[in-house]
Amino acid sequence: MDKQAQLKTAKRQALLWLCGAAVIFVLVTTVQVLYPAYQNSFFAGLIKMAAEAALIGGLADWFAVTALFKPIPARYPIPHTNIVARNKKAIAENLSDFVKEKFFNPVAIESLIASSHPAKGAGRWLKQQQHADKLARYLCDTLAGFLHVFDDAPVKQFVMNAIRKGINKVDLGPLASGTLTVLTRDGRHQLILDKLLHKLAVMSQTPETQDVIAAKLYQWLKTEHRRLEKILPSQWLSEQGANAAVKALADILADIDEDASHPLRLAFDRQVAIFAEQLENDPVYLQKLDDFRQQLLENDTLQHYLHAVWSDVKTWLDKDLADGQGRSHKAIASALCEIGNAVDEDPALAASIDKHIAEAGRYMAPELSDFLTSHIRKTIEGWDEKDMAQQIELNIGKDLQKVRINGTIVGGLIGGVLYFIEQGIGLLG
């Protein structure tokens, strides 16, 4: 049964109670007129007064309920009728303020999040494979939609122009210098140097490296000292020279590796600092960075290559995202399951996530409440007064008809009590 039918049924029931009281009142009054012996009857008087009071109570409540939604009478209504339509603006203001104060204030939002433990619930939900698959499917469809949007020619051109403008606005000097400074902070670049030195030491001691050095020395003797090369054992000298060179190189690398204050390390520090300073302040380096940027942006070959790469990647992604068993779907679903397990099994992680969600909710609550309450207020103010009254009556009128029924019943009971009081006072006389 729809709301309109429910409202009609409720009105019919209330009307039947009111008509029942009216019929009883008319019947008893008629009996008393036709049969004077019943005029002083206790029970006839009780029933008549109860019916009369029930009729008055039912009519009064009918007027009160109907006056909320309709003008009475319709053509020339009396004051304090059609209350909902007359007070549309006040209703809009009060309802929006009530929603804002009771439902969307920061304390209520934070309390709701704290009591519901959203992270724990999300973890339990995500750890189930079917739920992870469902969310992964949604995310894949969303990503596919974004790909189609970016593939649109005007959108693609807009994005490319925005990227070019953004890159042109970036000050590369301070960016490069700052990046280098961060990378070398706390001697991080020395760790890279250590790795490089270790790699060189290992490579220098391999037979292949020694053979290369010996061959170079032998070639050098044959080229630069032809006469001596014919007299001396060139091959043996080359091999011995290679061994000596490798040993000397290994000793040097070991000295650098063991000495944190080695001159080579200090020189490396100075060069890195100088280079970072030049990147930020030297006009020559700044111009080189700017030229390099322009060459990248204006290089047709590079642009064509990037476009071809993007086209291939997009084609593969588009096909893979559409496949319910594709790599993207499986990877996302697996990651979601792992996240769900981690959150569900780690109370500290769940509590931390809940805390951050609560902070975000508290931060967003004022703006969100302003937006929603403003939307509620403007929507109600935009309604037609008659339609607004009909909609409100349709949603709460069914319950208000119970007020009419209760008014009829309670009025009858009060009438009966008053009759007993009247009779009691009469006995005193």
Side-chain angles (χ1 to χ4, degrees):
M1 187 181 298
D2 59 14
K3 292 182 179 180
Q4 188 68 45
Q6 291 177 351
L7 179 61
K8 288 182 178 179
T9 300
K11 285 184 175 181
R12 192 180 302 114
Q13 291 174 350
L15 180 61
L16 288 175
W17 279 88
L18 185 63
C19 291
V23 168
I24 293 173
F25 173 75
V26 171
L27 285 176
V28 174
T29 303
T30 302
V31 168
Q32 286 182 332
V33 170
L34 295 178
Y35 302 96
Y38 287 100
Q39 289 183 357
N40 296 322
S41 171
F42 175 83
F43 289 104
L46 174 63
I47 295 173
K48 178 182 178 181
M49 192 165 185
E52 183 179 4
L55 185 60
I56 294 172
L59 287 172
D61 285 335
W62 167 85
F63 178 84
V65 171
T66 305
L68 287 173
F69 309 107
K70 296 178 181 179
I72 303 175
R75 188 171 181 82
Y76 301 105
I78 62 177
H80 307 298
T81 61
N82 200 24
I83 295 173
V84 171
R86 288 176 179 269
N87 294 274
K88 182 180 71 172
K89 186 173 182 179
I91 292 172
E93 290 287 344
N94 293 333
L95 180 60
S96 62
D97 290 342
F98 174 78
V99 171
K100 180 177 181 179
E101 180 182 350
K102 300 299 182 182
F103 295 97
F104 289 102
N105 67 79
V107 176
I109 294 294
E110 189 173 11
S111 176
L112 173 64
I113 294 172
S115 61
S116 59
H117 303 292
K120 193 74 173 177
R124 286 195 300 269
W125 189 83
L126 277 178
K127 68 185 295 184
Q128 300 182 38
Q129 188 62 49
Q130 67 271 24
H131 295 157
D133 287 335
K134 184 184 296 184
L135 182 56
R137 182 72 265 150
Y138 173 78
L139 293 176
C140 286
D141 291 342
T142 303
L143 182 56
F146 277 116
L147 287 177
H148 293 158
V149 170
F150 284 121
D151 196 43
D152 187 66
V155 175
K156 185 187 295 183
Q157 188 62 39
F158 169 78
V159 172
M160 293 302 298
N161 291 338
I163 292 174
R164 287 193 180 95
K165 289 180 181 179
I167 293 175
N168 280 322
K169 289 180 180 179
V170 174
D171 195 349
L172 294 180
L175 176 62
S177 176
T179 303
L180 185 59
T181 301
V182 171
L183 292 175
T184 58
R185 184 175 296 162
D186 298 327
R188 295 169 184 165
H189 59 299
Q190 292 290 346
L191 298 176
I192 299 175
L193 181 60
D194 290 339
K195 294 289 185 183
L196 179 61
L197 293 174
H198 177 72
K199 190 68 175 176
L200 287 173
V202 173
M203 289 179 61
S204 67
Q205 297 177 26
T206 60
E208 292 81 4
T209 303
Q210 294 182 6
D211 291 342
V212 171
I213 295 174
K216 290 295 182 181
L217 287 174
Y218 181 70
Q219 186 65 34
W220 176 75
L221 285 172
K222 290 182 65 174
T223 304
E224 300 295 332
H225 303 281
R226 295 179 181 178
R227 295 179 181 178
L228 290 173
E229 189 269 333
K230 294 178 180 180
I231 301 172
L232 298 173
S234 303
Q235 186 67 36
W236 181 83
L237 286 174
S238 299
E239 293 175 357
Q240 295 302 313
N243 290 334
V246 168
K247 186 177 184 305
L249 179 60
D251 290 340
I252 294 172
L253 294 177
D255 290 340
I256 298 172
D257 185 54
E258 295 172 0
D259 188 1
S261 301
H262 194 278
L264 184 60
R265 289 185 180 275
L266 299 179
F268 183 51
D269 285 340
R270 288 194 299 271
Q271 290 302 317
V272 169
I274 292 172
F275 185 55
E277 179 68 21
Q278 289 174 332
L279 285 176
E280 185 170 6
N281 300 311
D282 193 328
V284 176
Y285 279 88
L286 293 175
Q287 186 60 46
K288 288 181 179 180
L289 287 172
D290 190 60
D291 293 342
F292 177 71
R293 172 172 55 190
Q294 294 304 319
Q295 289 173 6
L296 288 178
L297 292 175
E298 297 171 4
N299 190 306
D300 293 336
T301 303
L302 178 61
Q303 298 297 324
H304 178 74
Y305 173 75
L306 292 176
H307 177 75
V309 170
W310 165 248
S311 180
D312 292 342
V313 171
K314 179 192 171 295
T315 301
W316 179 85
L317 265 178
D318 199 22
K319 183 179 179 181
D320 188 67
L321 290 171
D323 186 0
Q325 299 298 322
R327 293 182 180 180
S328 301
H329 180 273
K330 290 181 179 179
I332 294 174
S334 177
L336 291 173
C337 266
E338 291 179 4
I339 293 172
N341 283 317
V343 174
D344 186 51
E345 296 173 2
D346 189 345
L349 177 60
S352 178
I353 295 175
D354 286 341
K355 177 183 176 183
H356 291 300
I357 295 175
E359 290 175 351
R362 185 173 63 249
Y363 174 78
M364 295 173 59
E367 294 186 7
L368 182 63
S369 64
D370 289 341
F371 170 77
L372 291 176
T373 53
S374 175
H375 174 67
I376 293 172
R377 184 175 61 255
K378 291 179 180 178
T379 301
I380 294 176
E381 290 177 350
W383 286 347
D384 177 78
E385 287 84 352
K386 185 176 180 180
D387 291 340
M388 173 184 169
Q390 289 177 348
Q391 288 299 319
I392 294 178
E393 183 181 17
L394 193 63
N395 284 276
I396 66 172
K398 178 174 70 72
D399 294 323
L400 290 178
Q401 301 310 311
K402 296 177 182 178
V403 174
R404 294 175 55 190
I405 295 174
N406 291 336
T408 304
I409 295 173
V410 173
L413 293 175
I414 293 175
V417 171
L418 292 177
Y419 183 79
F420 275 108
I421 294 174
E422 180 184 4
Q423 294 299 312
I425 294 174
L427 292 176
L428 294 176

